[in-house]
Amino acid sequence: MICIDGPAGAGKGVVAGDLAGRLGWRHLDSGALYRTVALALLRGGLMDADESRIEAYLRECRFEFNAAVEGEGNRVLLNGADLSAEIRAENVGVAASRIASLSVVRRFLLARQRRFRRMPGLVAEGRDMASVVFPDAPLRIYLHASLEKRAERRHKQLKQKGINASMGDLIRDLAERDRRDRDRPLAPLKRARQAEVLDTTALTVLETRDAAWRLVTAVWPGMAAG
Ligand code: DC
């Protein structure tokens, strides 16, 4: 079991997908689950509703969270409709960060995240994987990068999808998201106890993958040959 936590745009998805692929383990992108709940609440007009209404609504919805396909994040369905692409929109990320502070939402997703833990292993990425969801994970990685670098990466990603976002807006949105994810009282983003810190600001994707793999082989030396 490996947990990878860190702020938006630090490279968690790339590292988690790569490690899961190399190890033949499952990959949980917990952000995709928060995004799906956020999209459900956006569609239901319930973003600002009180927690009891949200709880009742979430119970009525049919969520399906499937294991991640390499490089694509988890496949998520709401009432039978595949929303895996829709949840990637920036506004859904912002909404996810907002509803992630609600205890009703975190409670709703806790057991659903833990269900991903099966043999032979799981690589889970998010904000509170090591601190709350899988506190006994033998390898915990805290991945981060400077705000500017993360905005630059997000800009490039969006450009590849044909979306032209301004760097100023991206920096502002990420800073706001960081603040919300770090300052909330419930399961805030933070470096968990005994987490290995990996700063990816000056690293290429390849260097980041190699550094993460070295952390894996330090914990499980037998993996080095594989
Ligand atoms: O990783 P992401 O950007 O897709 O996540 C979207 C939001 O979901 C993030 O800003 C905060 C929330 N989230 C969370 O609170 N806890 C997690 N384990 C994962 C995501």
Side-chain angles (χ1 to χ4, degrees), residues 9 11 14 90 150-163:
V14 169
E90 284 300 297
R150 290 186 283 127
E152 198 184 301
R153 288 178 187 153
R154 181 91 0 142
H155 189 256
K156 217 160 128 191
Q157 263 172 11
L158 290 171
K159 210 164 166 194
Q160 278 164 1
K161 289 190 206 157
I163 303 166

Side-chain angles (χ1 to χ4, degrees), residues 57-214:
Y57 180 73
L58 293 180
R59 255 193 267 118
E60 279 169 26
C61 292
R62 193 157 44 82
F63 290 97
E64 289 166 66
F65 301 128
N66 299 313
V69 182
E70 207 172 331
E72 287 181 22
N74 291 76
R75 218 174 123 244
V76 296
L77 288 87
L78 172 62
N79 301 328
D82 190 328
L83 300 182
S84 312
E86 278 92 333
I87 58 162
R88 294 293 145 203
E90 284 300 297
N91 72 311
V92 181
V94 172
S97 165
R98 278 184 53 205
I99 55 100
S101 64
L102 302 175
S103 67
V104 63
V105 170
R106 303 209 77 85
R107 240 188 356 257
F108 182 76
L109 289 178
L110 187 61
R112 286 172 171 81
Q113 293 172 86
R114 288 184 173 152
R115 261 179 235 147
F116 276 84
R117 190 174 192 175
R118 303 226 189 106
M119 292 303 283
L122 175 68
V123 183
E125 53 157 309
R127 305 292 187 287
D128 62 340
M129 296 297 95
S131 57
V132 175
V133 185
F134 305 106
D136 61 336
L139 177 56
R140 308 120 172 275
I141 302 176
Y142 187 79
L143 208 66
H144 74 112
S146 73
L147 178 62
E148 289 70 24
K149 192 72 192 182
R150 290 186 283 127
E152 198 184 301
R153 288 178 187 153
R154 181 91 0 142
H155 189 256
K156 217 160 128 191
Q157 263 172 11
L158 290 171
K159 210 164 166 194
Q160 278 164 1
K161 289 190 206 157
I163 303 166
N164 219 343
S166 99
M167 271 296 281
D169 287 351
L170 287 174
I171 288 182
R172 204 198 47 230
D173 287 354
L174 274 177
E176 176 70 8
R177 202 122 80 83
D178 284 358
R179 191 193 52 70
R180 257 199 308 266
D181 294 349
R182 286 196 175 112
D183 292 354
R184 66 176 179 231
L186 284 175
L189 167 67
K190 63 169 183 215
R191 181 188 161 201
R193 234 177 351 97
Q194 294 163 350
E196 304 282 351
V197 177
L198 194 56
D199 183 340
T200 70
T201 309
L203 302 184
T204 62
V205 170
L206 216 65
E207 289 166 340
T208 304
R209 287 176 172 172
D210 285 349
W213 185 248
R214 276 197 297 278

